[in-house]
């Protein structure tokens, strides 16, 4: 979808700031079919990509897509609910964490186009206001981001003001900005840790 293409484009801009000798570690949180991880790896092959998802079905599909694209050796797939697979271990930190999390409010489900409704609800619905997964990521991500590191999230219509206010009050992130999609909606949230 165009919104997710925008997410990939903005992530590539951030990755473009790394020096040639650097090999930034990238995490695709909630990879689904693996399209974000694959796109970033193809466009930015020097990055070290980890892609995680809590769904075995999604990871199986992502694995097939990585094989088809000959990326199996370049992308590490991990089954995990958010960062659970990394808790209690020596903390792994990434330079860039990118995610298209579930952000659709439950009340908006019936208004979604039919082709979107065919996708798993787990991948789309973010609770009553659509902010459940986004808030969880922003709460956990400082423990898994290097300083300075970047988090880049796709968000839903009407969520940017709430999230900017919450980020402003916690003082964990600097250089917070929003990128609008083609419809003029604040669609991508970008924040730097530290």
């Amino acid at each position: 979808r165009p919104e997710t293409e925008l997410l990939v484009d903005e992530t590539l801009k951030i990755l473009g700031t790394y020096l040639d000798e650097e090999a930034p570690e990238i995490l695709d949180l909630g990879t689904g079919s693996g399209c974000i991880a694959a796109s970033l790896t193809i466009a930015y092959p020097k990055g070290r990509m980890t892609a995680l998802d809590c769904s075995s079905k999604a990871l199986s599909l992502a694995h097939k897509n990585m094989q088809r694209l000959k990326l199996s050796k370049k992308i590490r797939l991990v089954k995990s609910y958010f960062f659970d697979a990394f808790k209690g271990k020596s903390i792994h930190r990434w330079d860039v964490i990118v995610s298209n999390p579930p952000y659709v409010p439950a009340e908006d489900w019936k208004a979604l186009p039919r082709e979107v409704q065919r996708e798993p609800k787990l991948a789309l619905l973010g609770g009553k206001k659509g902010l459940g997964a986004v808030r969880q990521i922003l709460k956990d991500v400082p423990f898994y981001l290097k300083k300075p590191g970047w988090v880049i999230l796709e968000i839903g219509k009407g969520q940017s003001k709430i999230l900017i206010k919450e980020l402003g009050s916690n003082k964990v992130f600097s250089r917070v900005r929003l990128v609008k999609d083609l419809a003029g909606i604040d669609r991508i949230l970008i924040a730097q840790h530290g």
Side-chain angles (χ1 to χ4, degrees), residues 136-156:
Q136 187 66 51
I137 292 167
L138 291 172
K139 178 185 166 195
D140 291 345
V141 88
F143 300 104
Y144 300 95
L145 264 182
K146 292 178 184 174
K147 285 186 182 180
W150 297 90
V151 60
I152 304 133
L153 302 175
E154 185 174 326
I155 60 172

Side-chain angles (χ1 to χ4, degrees), residues 67-118:
Q67 284 182 316
R68 188 173 54 82
L69 295 166
K70 296 181 175 48
L71 295 174
S72 297
K73 292 180 181 175
K74 294 183 177 185
I75 299 173
R76 176 182 171 214
L77 294 172
V78 177
K79 184 173 183 186
S80 182
Y81 180 74
F82 291 102
F83 295 98
D84 285 357
F86 304 98
K87 286 181 180 169
K89 299 177 181 176
S90 57
I91 291 182
H92 191 104
R93 295 187 188 272
W94 285 272
D95 296 285
V96 175
I97 297 176
V98 60
S99 183
N100 177 9
Y103 60 75
V104 176
E107 61 198 27
D108 292 354
W109 175 255
K110 290 182 180 177
L112 293 174
R114 279 208 179 136
E115 69 270 11
V116 177
Q117 287 185 5
R118 288 191 197 110

